[in-house]
Amino acid sequence: MGLKNSLHNFKEKNKNKKWIPAFNAIHTFLYLPNETTHNGTHIKVADDLKRTMNTVIMAMVPCLIFGMFNAGYQHHLALGEIQAVTGSFFSSEFWTMDNFLIGFWKILPLVIVSYGVGLGIEFIFAIINGHEVEEGYLVTGMLVPLIVPVDIPLWMLAVAVVFGVVIGKEVFGGTGMNILNPALTIRAFLFFAYPTWMSGDKVWVHGAVERDQMIAAGENLDAISGETILGALAQGKEFAYSVSDMFIGFIPGSIGETSTLLILLGGLFLIFSKVGSWRIMLSSALGAIAMGLIFNAVVDAGWITESSKFYGLMSTVWWHHLLIGGFAFGAVFMATDPVTASQTTKGKWIYGFLIGFISILIRVFNPAYPEGVMLAILLMNVFAPTIDHYIVKGNVKKRMKRVKAKVA
């Protein structure tokens, strides 16, 4: 009640009116939206923007926790201190407190910087423009730490968040007005501004650089260096991971993108809570499968030989593409963004299919950047309004024809 009374006094005394949006944001976060309807409505529902954002965050929490354990596990594996685990999700060598603590202390600063800088910018724009602070960044703030390398410098992340929130969101008018997914805008900025920190075999595992230094000093370490499966395949190398490793997530990669199992569970949670679009998720998978089958057919026909630089990823079994890289995470948590995705039913099928199709296309034909889901989603974000426009236009034409037929 103290905060509610303070808000009332704050408005009554009419002091520092420009700070009201920031005060309202704290009040809304702790209690309820400041403007609520008490009577006279036709329909009352329990969901609002804050609850929707919280639902998405809850779906990502398992990926975040798993990523903390995996960061510690990959660290010890890179240093040759443990043996690789395989086959079982409940492996006792993976779920250790030591693994968790290493990952926790590496990932927590990323979460703090993401939310601190992003929400700080949201507050600044709300105060300047005199509007309410929107909850849209709650999801973006969680997405960003899950799609970046674990050892990325915090200042780089802060600069990227500033760019992503200002250029990718606020210049369009804030939450609900942006045409690009803010989290992917942040990742795209990082990739093009600091490419050496976003690609290569030293950025996906905490301690991989330390391991190379130990090898240079003459120590014998038999473990991985941190290269992702996609990076190895793009260079024509073979990878030593089983299907169960890829599905469970015992592989190097971005913090939240390795465990396809937990991503699927998160996707099911979003579908049953009616927050995420199952049409976009399913059509994205179908698009990726279609492109994978085409590439496999090209290899089987003998049009591409092992000497080709495209052979590694092109010959990858079509359904493996769904388990490696960030495809599953992007299709479930970012392609389904209700603001930047297609809104029509038929448009969602087209939008999702093209995301999956283009993701694998970029993955294969750009060996320098074998992860194509980010660029595919951003590209389709731009074309989503066009897809919906022609879907609606086509529906209008069909209805007009039916009306003319009845009149005639």
Side-chain angles (χ1 to χ4, degrees):
M1 293 298 294
L3 185 58
K4 292 183 178 180
N5 292 333
S6 298
L7 177 63
H8 177 74
N9 295 333
F10 194 81
K11 292 180 177 179
E12 286 295 324
K13 294 180 180 179
N14 202 29
K15 293 181 178 180
N16 299 320
K17 291 181 64 176
K18 66 179 182 178
W19 298 103
I20 289 179
F23 198 93
N24 285 345
I26 299 174
H27 176 269
T28 301
F29 181 78
L30 295 177
Y31 296 99
L32 294 171
N34 295 306
E35 296 181 2
T36 58
T37 302
H38 300 284
N39 51 45
T41 57
H42 295 287
I43 300 174
K44 291 185 178 180
V45 294
D47 59 320
D48 57 17
L49 181 60
K50 181 173 68 175
R51 291 187 178 92
T52 300
M53 298 297 104
N54 287 338
T55 300
V56 180
I57 291 174
M58 286 189 290
M60 290 189 288
V61 166
C63 296
L64 174 65
I65 295 175
F66 182 90
M68 291 179 177
F69 279 97
N70 193 42
Y73 164 73
Q74 297 294 338
H75 168 76
H76 289 304
L77 190 62
L79 295 179
E81 298 174 351
I82 60 174
Q83 296 294 321
V85 301
T86 184
S88 175
F89 180 80
F90 301 100
S91 173
S92 59
E93 294 184 10
F94 181 86
W95 301 100
T96 65
M97 185 57 66
D98 192 24
N99 286 344
F100 176 77
L101 290 176
I102 289 177
F104 177 81
W105 289 115
K106 289 300 300 182
I107 296 172
L108 181 62
L110 301 179
V111 176
I112 293 175
V113 169
S114 175
Y115 274 114
V117 176
L119 290 177
I121 296 173
E122 292 270 12
F123 272 72
I124 292 173
F125 271 85
I127 292 171
I128 293 175
N129 297 325
H131 63 66
E132 293 285 335
V133 177
E134 298 155 333
E135 295 92 344
Y137 190 78
L138 291 178
V139 170
T140 302
M142 180 62 70
L143 281 172
V144 171
L146 296 180
I147 60 177
V148 297
V150 67
D151 268 341
I152 188 171
L154 297 180
W155 68 267
M156 285 187 187
L157 182 63
V159 172
V161 169
V162 172
F163 177 88
V165 176
V166 174
I167 304 300
K169 183 179 177 182
E170 295 299 340
V171 296
F172 294 102
T175 301
M177 304 297 291
N178 52 293
I179 63 171
L180 299 175
N181 184 288
L184 286 177
T185 304
I186 291 170
R187 197 181 195 281
F189 175 85
L190 284 170
F191 176 77
F192 291 110
Y194 311 106
T196 58
W197 283 95
M198 296 297 292
S199 60
D201 63 350
K202 305 296 186 296
V203 300
W204 303 107
V205 173
H206 171 53
V209 175
E210 178 185 351
R211 174 189 181 273
D212 284 355
Q213 293 173 346
M214 295 172 68
I215 292 177
E219 296 189 35
N220 184 22
L221 297 177
D222 184 17
I224 60 172
S225 65
E227 189 170 50
T228 63
I229 293 176
L230 290 176
L233 292 175
Q235 298 178 45
K237 301 177 183 178
E238 295 184 358
F239 59 89
Y241 297 102
S242 65
V243 172
S244 61
D245 289 341
M246 295 187 291
F247 182 67
I248 295 173
F250 299 148
I251 56 177
S254 295
I255 297 160
E257 295 178 345
T258 61
S259 180
T260 306
L261 171 62
L262 295 179
I263 293 170
L264 287 177
L265 293 177
L268 290 174
F269 179 72
L270 293 180
I271 291 171
F272 284 109
S273 61
K274 302 186 183 302
V275 172
S277 170
W278 65 270
R279 294 179 178 86
I280 293 177
M281 296 182 196
L282 178 58
S283 58
S284 296
L286 293 176
I289 290 171
M291 190 75 261
L293 286 171
I294 292 173
F295 282 135
N296 286 175
V298 170
V299 172
D300 293 340
W303 298 343
I304 296 292
T305 63
E306 294 187 22
S307 60
S308 171
K309 64 180 180 179
F310 304 121
Y311 181 82
L313 282 166
M314 191 175 287
S315 61
T316 300
V317 181
W318 57 270
W319 58 273
H320 284 186
H321 282 289
L322 304 179
L323 304 180
I324 58 180
F327 175 79
F329 190 88
V332 170
F333 293 111
M334 290 180 282
T336 55
D337 176 12
V339 175
T340 56
S342 289
Q343 305 298 313
T344 59
T345 299
K346 188 181 294 185
K348 289 177 180 178
W349 285 105
I350 299 172
Y351 169 83
F353 185 87
L354 290 176
I355 284 177
F357 196 87
I358 295 172
S359 293
I360 308 305
L361 186 68
I362 297 174
R363 176 181 286 185
V364 171
F365 284 129
N366 188 1
Y369 182 62
E371 183 51 85
V373 68
M374 174 191 75
L375 297 179
I377 294 176
L378 288 175
L379 178 63
M380 294 314 301
N381 284 167
V382 175
F383 283 100
T386 304
I387 293 173
D388 287 338
H389 170 75
Y390 283 104
I391 294 296
V392 173
K393 190 174 180 180
N395 289 337
V396 171
K397 286 184 177 180
K398 290 179 182 178
R399 293 179 181 180
M400 291 299 294
K401 288 181 179 179
R402 287 199 296 264
V403 171
K404 290 180 180 178
K406 290 180 179 180
V407 172

